[in-house]
Amino acid sequence: MDVCEARYVKMTILAQHSPMKIILDTSASNLPITDGKMYTRPRVYLERPKPTCLLALKYVHLQTHVVRKTDVADMLIAIALLALGLDVSPLVQLECAGCNMAVPLVTPKVHMDVAVLNMDGHCLTSKGCQSGCNDVSKPLASQEPVIVRTTSAAPPNSTAPVTSDGKCGASKGGTVCGDWPYGNCCSMYGFCGNTSAHCGAGCQSGNCLSAAVAPASGPRPAPAAPQQGSFAIIGQSGVPAMHAALLPNGRVVFLDKLENYTQVRLPGGHYAMSAEYNPADNTVVPLAYKTNAFCCGGCFLADGSVVSLGGNAPLAWLDPTIGDGFDAVRYLHRSSTDPSLNGRNWTEPGNKLASNRWYASAQTMSNGSIFVASGSLNGLDPTVLTNNNPTYEILNASAVSQGVNFVLDILKKNQPYYMYPFLHLLPDDSLFIFVSKSSEQYSVASQRTIKTFPELSGDYRTYPNTGSSVLLPLSSSKDWRPEIIICGGGAYQDITSPTDPSCGRIQPFSDTPEWEMDAMPEGRGMVEGTLLPDGTIIWLNGGNRGAQGFGLMADPTQTALLYEPGRSLGQRFSTLASSDIPRLYHSVALLLLDGTLMVAGSNPVQMPVLTPDAQNPYATEFRVERYTPPYLEGANSTRRPKDIVLSCKTLIPKATFTAVFSVPAGAVAPSVVLYQGGFVTHSLHMGHRMVVCDTAGWVAGNIKQNLIVTMPPNSSIVPPGPYVVYVLADGIPGIGQFVRIGII
C-alpha cells in the first residue's frame, strides 16, 4: 500500500455491513494517539500540526471485534494504524489519551481499498510531510533516528555501478565505492569509508577486512572500594529528566521533550516540560518554554546563562503553545546573587540556529563563542544523506548564530554515527572531536584538522551506542596537558546489541598519541562519567545490553564505579554502592554544590508510562536520588573545610584571589579546583571540565587557613562562564561556591 503517511489523518470509513459512515479527523477530534504498543518496533506516533494527505478508506469489513469494548474511538484508532500501513497482527495492546485504559485487541481481518486524495505538495518535506514522503525515505515510526543495518551485501563485481554521493551497497542498487575519497569499503549501513566501522563487520564491498577486527579489552573484575558511598531517594523531578544542568543559584534545571504527562502544570493548565529543582529542600517549580527541546544540545554562556540549542518538531495536538524547536535557541537566566530570577521561564527572543539540529553537541570556546556541531535536519533515517547535518556553526557570546554552516569531515565520514559527538576544548584553543570510533584535533580558527588520532578499538562509542567521554582534570603539575578517557559503547542500535566494557585513554598533545586500553567490570551502554572534586570519576547509569532509543536497553547496570586516574593501569576501577533504580535512556547525573551527586531520569518510552508492564518493563522514572561519595561517608563528613570565604567571585585567567577557611586539626593536603558541570544529556556532559589551581600560603597545623589561589594562564583552559570553586583538605571538599570567569 503506497500511501503518504500524514502527520494527521482524515479518513472516511464506510463499514460494508453497516449503514454507519464514520469520519475520523484527528486534527479536530479528541483522539490523540500517544503510543501504539507492539511486541516489536516500529511504533507509531501521530501528530497534527499542519495539513498533509487526505486518506479515504472504503469497504472496511471487520470480521471480528477490533476491541473488547465496543467503543468507536478505540476502533478508529486501530483502523488508523492500519491506514498508516502497519501490520497490526502482532498488536496486542493499545493506549490512548482520553480513554485512559489499555485496550486488548483481537487480530482484525480487514479488507481495504485505499485512495490517496489531495496529494499535491503535501507529500513533500517542505510542505510538512513527515513520513511516506515523495522526496525522502520512509521515516521512523518511533520518532527516534533508528539506524537499520543492511542485511545483504552488494555483488562484488567490476561492473557494479560506482557511487556518486558516498552511499553504497544493497540499499543503493549494489553501488560500490570505487575511488571514493573517504575509502572504498562499503559499511553495513551503506556508507563509503576506510575505518573499521566501514571495512570490518558487515562490510559489503571494497577492501573489507578478511579477519574480524581485533576486539578491545574484555570485562575486567574490579575490587570493591573500601568505602562504598550510598544512594538515597530525596525527591521527585517534576518532569522526565532528559537534560539537566546545575544553575548558578545552586538549583538544577530539568528539561524534557513534549510529553502527554508530567508531574507539574503551568498556570495555563498545560503540563510543564521543564522544572527547576531545589536540592536544599527538594522542591520543584514548573518552567515554560516555547519550542520543543527534544534531544537538544546546550552549554553555558559567559554571562552565566544556560542555553538549549536545537530540538524537534511541535505536537500541536498535545500542546499548541509549543512550537518547532529544530533550530531554536532557548535561554535560562539564573544568578548566584539575584534570587528574583529563580523560577523564571525559559526565554526565546527569536534568534535561530543557521540550520536544523536534533542531537547536536555544543562547546563554549575561549572567547565566549559557542561551537555547535552535528544534528539531524528532520529526525528521519540517518542512513539517508539528505536527512543529516554533518556541519558546525559558530554562535557569538550571546548565542546568536553567524548564520553559516561549515562541513565537518569527521562527521561526514562517520555517518550514520555522526550525532551527539564528544567535544572537549583543549588548552591551545583547539577541539578534541570524537564520533563513532574516530577522533581528531581540530582548529576552529583555521577550519582544519590538526591531527588525526588512531581509531579507538572496540564498538561504537557515540549515539546510538553512546558510552561517555571525560576530560581529566587539568593542572600545572602536568603542564596543562590534556588527557581524555572514553568508556562504554555498543555494536548496533537494537535491544540485542552487546555493550562494550572497554575504555580508551589518550593524550592529544603527545607526539605519538595512542589509546591506552582499560576495562570496566562489565559492558555498559549509556554510562555516564562525572568528575568529582578530588579528581576521581564516578561512572554510573546505563545498561549491559541494548542501545539508545525507546525500549532498546535492558539489563540495567546499577552499581556505581570509581575510577582513580593516578593509579596504575589495571588498578584504577573499583566498585561502589548500587542503586535500586534502573537508570536507562534519558537519565542524568551531575555534581551538586555540597559535593554529592544527583542522579535522575530514565524515560525509555515514547510517552510517560507510570507502571512497568510486560510491554514496558522500565517505566518513566521521576524519583531523584542523591549519591554520597566515599569522601563524605562516615567521619569524613565532619572533616570537610568550613567557613569558606572567597575574596572575589568574578575572576579572569592569570589573576589571584584568596580563600579563607577552617580545617580539622591535622589536615595536611589542601587543593582548590574550578569545576564546570556542563549541560548533561544522553550520557554527554557538554562543557564538563575541572581545573586544579595553584595555591600558596598553607600553614601546617593551623586550623584557620588563608590560601592565595592563582588562576590558570588562559581562557582555553578555563573558558568563560559559571564555575564552582571547591576547597578541599585531604581530598574532602567543602561546600562549593559559584564564581563567574571572564575573558582576558
Side-chain angles (χ1 to χ4, degrees):
M1 178 168 60
D2 184 14
V3 300
C4 176
E5 297 176 334
R7 296 199 73 186
Y8 73 71
V9 181
K10 184 174 183 180
M11 297 185 292
T12 300
I13 304 170
L14 297 175
Q16 189 172 21
H17 298 292
S18 170
M20 182 184 297
K21 179 179 180 181
I22 304 170
I23 305 295
L24 172 62
D25 185 348
T26 62
S27 67
S29 72
N30 294 318
L31 306 176
I33 298 174
T34 59
D35 192 11
K37 292 189 175 182
M38 302 182 183
Y39 282 121
T40 57
R41 291 183 292 109
R43 297 178 180 178
V44 71
Y45 188 21
L46 299 183
E47 308 166 16
R48 57 170 188 81
K50 58 181 68 174
T52 49
C53 305
L54 182 67
L55 303 182
L57 276 67
K58 299 179 180 179
Y59 309 120
V60 178
H61 183 171
L62 302 176
Q63 294 182 358
T64 68
H65 291 292
V66 179
V67 293
R68 178 182 300 169
K69 187 177 180 181
T70 57
D71 185 288
V72 173
D74 297 337
M75 182 182 74
L76 292 181
I77 291 172
I79 295 173
L81 295 175
L82 287 168
L84 294 178
L86 289 175
D87 176 12
V88 299
S89 58
L91 189 62
V92 297
Q93 197 176 60
L94 189 74
E95 289 185 354
C96 65
C99 60
N100 195 27
M101 59 173 287
V103 183
L105 297 178
V106 179
T107 304
K109 308 293 185 182
V110 179
H111 169 72
M112 295 187 298
D113 180 19
V114 179
V116 180
L117 309 175
N118 193 27
M119 289 185 58
D120 295 341
H122 294 309
C123 289
L124 301 176
T125 55
S126 61
K127 299 295 185 180
C129 180
Q130 294 297 298
S131 62
C133 312
N134 290 341
D135 54 346
V136 296
S137 66
K138 186 173 181 178
L140 310 163
S142 71
Q143 299 299 297
E144 286 280 338
V146 177
I147 301 174
V148 181
R149 292 175 291 163
T150 300
T151 57
S152 58
N157 62 69
S158 58
T159 61
V162 176
T163 186
S164 60
D165 60 3
K167 286 285 291 174
C168 57
S171 63
K172 289 284 288 185
T175 301
V176 297
C177 296
D179 295 326
W180 188 251
Y182 293 155
N184 76 350
C185 292
C186 182
S187 76
M188 71 170 75
Y189 298 110
F191 286 83
C192 296
N194 61 6
T195 71
S196 67
H198 297 86
C199 303
C203 178
Q204 300 184 65
S205 63
N207 295 333
C208 302
L209 298 175
S210 57
V213 178
S217 305
R220 181 176 296 166
Q227 293 177 294
Q228 296 282 289
S230 60
F231 286 90
I233 298 171
I234 58 173
Q236 299 280 317
S237 60
V239 302
M242 180 181 290
H243 319 79
L246 179 67
L247 302 171
N249 60 3
R251 301 179 182 185
V252 173
V253 61
F254 294 129
L255 180 64
D256 191 29
K257 67 179 179 70
L258 272 163
E259 307 280 15
N260 65 3
Y261 171 79
T262 68
Q263 294 179 318
V264 289
R265 291 182 183 266
L266 299 168
H270 291 290
Y271 287 116
M273 306 303 161
S274 182
E276 184 173 351
Y277 187 99
N278 186 355
D281 59 11
N282 300 308
T283 57
V284 65
V285 176
L287 305 176
Y289 63 52
K290 297 178 181 178
T291 55
N292 190 359
F294 189 6
C295 298
C296 63
C299 63
F300 282 92
L301 301 183
D303 69 1
S305 302
V306 63
V307 289
S308 159
L309 306 169
N312 203 274
L315 305 180
W317 62 266
L318 183 58
D319 187 341
T321 69
I322 296 177
D324 191 330
F326 270 114
D327 59 355
V329 179
R330 308 169 197 86
Y331 299 80
L332 192 66
H333 305 288
R334 294 295 186 268
S335 169
S336 60
T337 58
D338 183 1
S340 70
L341 296 176
N342 297 347
R344 292 192 183 182
N345 294 327
W346 291 84
T347 61
E348 299 179 51
N351 50 301
K352 300 292 186 180
L353 298 174
S355 56
N356 288 359
R357 298 188 184 275
W358 189 36
Y359 288 87
S361 297
Q363 172 65 55
T364 305
M365 303 297 291
S366 64
N367 63 356
S369 64
I370 310 298
F371 179 91
V372 186
S374 192
S376 170
L377 291 169
N378 50 29
L380 303 181
D381 187 351
T383 65
V384 177
L385 291 171
T386 54
N387 296 331
N388 300 345
N389 192 0
T391 70
Y392 73 89
E393 60 183 282
I394 301 297
L395 316 185
N396 68 14
S398 299
V400 176
S401 176
Q402 295 178 350
V404 181
N405 297 302
F406 302 94
V407 173
L408 192 57
D409 268 355
I410 191 171
L411 300 181
K412 189 174 180 180
K413 291 176 182 178
N414 284 284
Q415 296 175 97
Y417 276 78
Y418 76 102
M419 292 178 283
Y420 270 159
F422 298 144
L423 304 175
H424 298 290
L425 181 66
L426 302 179
D428 65 351
D429 212 36
S430 64
L431 285 171
F432 176 86
I433 303 175
F434 184 101
V435 67
S436 180
K437 306 178 183 183
S438 302
S439 54
E440 68 179 20
Q441 182 183 359
Y442 185 81
S443 169
V444 179
S446 60
Q447 298 179 25
R448 66 181 182 88
T449 299
I450 299 171
K451 186 186 300 183
T452 299
F453 301 110
E455 188 175 282
L456 177 55
S457 61
D459 291 328
Y460 295 106
R461 308 290 183 161
T462 55
Y463 186 88
N465 296 105
T466 304
S468 188
S469 178
V470 179
L471 174 67
L472 297 184
L474 299 167
S475 68
S476 65
S477 64
K478 296 183 178 179
D479 297 322
W480 309 110
R481 296 174 67 85
E483 281 191 87
I484 292 158
I485 182 171
I486 295 173
C487 290
Y492 49 85
Q493 192 178 14
D494 192 79
I495 198 168
T496 63
S497 174
T499 55
D500 200 321
S502 69
C503 302
R505 181 168 159 178
I506 196 167
Q507 300 179 19
F509 285 0
S510 170
D511 292 335
T512 56
E514 296 288 342
W515 291 98
E516 178 189 67
M517 300 305 296
D518 205 340
M520 300 179 288
E522 60 188 341
R524 292 195 176 204
M526 299 188 290
V527 63
E528 295 202 43
T530 304
L531 287 162
L532 296 181
D534 64 354
T536 61
I537 302 172
I538 292 284
W539 304 86
L540 74 177
N541 295 350
N544 182 245
R545 178 170 59 87
Q548 287 168 304
F550 294 125
L552 295 184
M553 180 62 79
D555 298 342
T557 47
Q558 294 170 235
T559 298
L561 302 175
L562 179 67
Y563 180 82
E564 300 176 79
R567 301 193 68 175
S568 300
L569 179 64
Q571 300 178 7
R572 295 169 182 161
F573 279 105
S574 56
T575 61
L576 297 170
S578 296
S579 169
D580 293 329
I581 302 175
R583 302 287 185 181
L584 298 174
Y585 195 37
H586 298 149
S587 298
V588 296
L590 70 167
L591 192 71
L592 299 176
L593 288 178
D594 65 358
T596 64
L597 208 66
M598 174 181 281
V599 186
S602 193
N603 189 24
V605 289
Q606 194 155 35
M607 287 287 170
V609 173
L610 303 184
T611 304
D613 56 31
Q615 297 295 314
N616 294 295
Y618 303 106
T620 304
E621 187 56 69
F622 288 96
R623 288 175 292 178
V624 176
E625 290 177 289
R626 182 192 302 274
Y627 173 71
T628 301
Y631 57 48
L632 291 177
E633 192 173 29
N636 287 345
S637 63
T638 65
R639 296 186 57 80
R640 60 194 311 169
K642 297 180 180 179
D643 306 319
I644 301 169
V645 177
L646 306 179
S647 63
C648 183
K649 293 190 177 182
T650 302
L651 306 170
I652 58 173
K654 297 183 180 180
T656 61
F657 66 96
T658 60
V660 178
F661 55 97
S662 60
V663 295
V668 295
S671 62
V672 177
V673 302
L674 299 166
Y675 189 98
Q676 164 66 267
F679 184 89
V680 182
T681 186
H682 290 75
S683 304
L684 283 78
H685 292 217
M686 302 178 192
H688 186 29
R689 67 201 296 118
M690 190 175 98
V691 177
V692 181
C693 297
D694 291 335
T695 62
W698 175 264
V699 179
N702 280 10
I703 292 177
K704 196 75 171 181
Q705 298 287 343
N706 189 335
L707 293 186
I708 299 173
V709 184
T710 301
M711 291 286 290
N714 66 59
S715 293
S716 299
I717 298 172
V718 278
Y723 287 75
V724 178
V725 172
Y726 289 102
V727 176
L728 297 90
D730 299 331
I732 303 172
I735 303 294
Q737 298 183 30
F738 263 101
V739 299
R740 186 183 301 175
I741 297 180
I743 306 169
I744 57 172

